[in-house]
Amino acid sequence: MYIPEGCTREAHTFRELPMHCYPCNFHWAASYNDVHLPFEHVSKKMITKEILDYIREFKQASMNRKPLYTFETRALFELILQRMLSDYHLLSANTIDPRIKNATYYINEQFSHNITVGILAEQANLNTVYFGKLFKETTDLTYKEYLYRIRINNAEMMLSSGDFNV
C-alpha cells in the first residue's frame, strides 16, 4: 500500500480475509525529489499478477542479500513503480478529452513537421485559444512544450542508439 508522507494510517484484517502488506519506505533520488505519485494510495485493486510477481522477487532479493542485491532490489522497485504508473495512466487516459488525446497522438506521429496550434485546433474543430487552454488543462503543458518534449525524447533515443551523432 502506498501512503503519502504526512498521512496517518490504520489497517484492520479479518481471519477470513487476511491482508498482505509489503511495506517499502523510499526516498526519490535527487532529481526526483519533487515528483509525487499520482495516486492517493495503492491497494489490492491496482496490483496485477505481474506487479505481485515483481513484489515477490523484490522480497526474495532483499531477504537473500546476495552480492549487489541493492541494484537488483532498486531495479525491481522501479519496475513495480513503472508498471503501477503505467496502469494508472492507462486507466486515467479514458477520462482525457478525445480531442486532446487525438492531438497528442498527432504530435507524437508528426513531431518532425511544422505543427501549429492552428492545425491542432482545426483538427479538433475548436477555436485556437480554447484548444490551447484545454490542452494545457489536460496535459499540464502548452502544445509547444509538449511538442518540444517529444522532439527532445526522440533525439535522445536516436543519439543513445549509437546510429546517429549530434
Side-chain angles (χ1 to χ4, degrees), residues 67-153:
L68 303 174
Y69 81 96
T70 55
F71 290 106
E72 183 180 5
T73 55
R74 190 173 294 156
L76 286 165
F77 181 71
E78 291 200 10
L79 276 170
I80 292 165
L81 279 181
Q82 184 276 333
R83 191 75 246 150
M84 288 171 42
L85 288 167
S86 184
D87 291 349
Y88 175 83
H89 286 294
L90 186 64
L91 291 172
S92 65
N94 294 333
T95 61
I96 293 176
D97 187 307
R99 298 168 294 190
I100 301 304
K101 194 185 259 185
N102 290 339
T104 58
Y105 179 79
Y106 180 83
I107 292 170
N108 290 335
E109 294 299 312
Q110 303 294 325
F111 65 87
S112 61
H113 296 93
N114 184 24
I115 301 173
T116 65
V117 70
I119 292 170
L120 298 171
E122 187 178 318
Q123 288 180 346
N125 276 341
L126 295 172
N127 172 286
T128 53
V129 174
Y130 179 71
F131 174 83
K133 182 179 179 208
L134 185 61
F135 193 94
K136 173 81 172 169
E137 284 175 4
T138 305
T139 64
D140 289 330
L141 299 167
T142 66
Y143 93 94
K144 268 197 172 170
E145 290 169 334
Y146 186 87
L147 175 61
Y148 292 156
R149 185 172 287 180
I150 297 300
R151 286 177 175 167
I152 289 169
N153 287 346

Side-chain angles (χ1 to χ4, degrees), residues 2 5 28 32-39 85:
Y2 166 70
E5 184 178 35
W28 292 118
Y32 296 112
N33 277 336
D34 61 339
V35 175
H36 298 286
L37 296 178
F39 25 77
L85 288 167

Side-chain angles (χ1 to χ4, degrees), residues 22 42-56 79-80 82-88 90-91:
Y22 299 92
V42 175
S43 64
K44 186 163 86 172
K45 294 175 190 171
M46 289 186 70
I47 305 298
T48 63
K49 182 188 177 327
E50 180 186 20
I51 293 171
L52 192 55
D53 289 343
Y54 285 143
I55 290 171
R56 287 183 182 126
L79 276 170
I80 292 165
Q82 184 276 333
R83 191 75 246 150
M84 288 171 42
L85 288 167
S86 184
D87 291 349
Y88 175 83
L90 186 64
L91 291 172

Side-chain angles (χ1 to χ4, degrees), residues 9-27:
R9 48 196 174 264
E10 181 178 321
H12 301 278
T13 190
F14 304 96
R15 189 179 311 237
E16 312 81 47
L17 190 60
M19 182 180 359
H20 301 278
C21 294
Y22 299 92
C24 207
N25 295 321
F26 65 94
H27 180 74

